[in-house]
Amino acid sequence: MKLIIATIKPFKLEEVREALTSIGVRGMMVTEIKGFGSQSGHTEIYRGAEYAVNFVPKVKLEIVVNAAMADEVVATIASTAKTDKIGDGKIFVLDVESALRVRTGETNDDAI
C-alpha cells in the first residue's frame, strides 16, 4: 500500500476529486493548509496598507491506495492540478505498513 500526499491549489480540489473518483479512488482526506515554496508568498494591499503574505493557502490530499494503483493516482493528480504557474504543488509517495478499518476490523488492502 502507498500513502500519497499531495498539496494543490484550493480551486483545483473539486476537479482533482472528480478525476480520482473516475479512476477508482474510493476515499481521501482533505486538509486546508498554508505553506510556501518557490513562490515564497506575495504582497497584498488591505485598507490602503501593503503587507506581506508569507504563507499561501493550499489544500493537502492524503490518499491510501494499493501499490499497483499509485502511479496512476500520482499521474492523475499531477495532470489535473497543473496550471503551469508557480505554486501548483507537490506530490509525495510513502509506503504504508498496515491499515485497519475500525468499524469492521478489515486490514490492509481490504481496509482501503
Side-chain angles (χ1 to χ4, degrees), residues 2-3 6-7 10 23-25 36 43 57 60 67 70-71 96:
K2 299 289 184 179
L3 169 62
T7 60
I23 63 165
V25 172
F36 72 92
T43 58
K60 179 171 75 170
D71 289 340
V96 173

Side-chain angles (χ1 to χ4, degrees), residues 25-77:
V25 172
R26 297 184 337 176
M28 72 177 75
M29 294 173 280
V30 178
T31 310
E32 292 180 4
I33 62 170
K34 293 181 180 184
F36 72 92
S38 301
Q39 67 196 108
S40 64
H42 60 283
T43 58
E44 289 186 2
I45 297 177
Y46 178 71
R47 294 189 176 180
E50 186 175 334
Y51 65 98
V53 178
N54 294 320
F55 293 97
V56 180
K58 300 284 184 183
V59 173
K60 179 171 75 170
L61 309 178
E62 296 174 88
I63 306 160
V64 177
V65 296
N66 63 44
M69 195 175 182
D71 289 340
E72 183 181 12
V73 170
V74 168
T76 299
I77 295 169

Side-chain angles (χ1 to χ4, degrees), residues 6-21:
T7 60
I8 63 172
K9 292 182 176 183
F11 69 88
K12 284 292 200 171
L13 176 60
E14 189 59 28
E15 190 178 344
V16 169
R17 186 198 62 78
E18 289 173 4
L20 290 172
T21 300

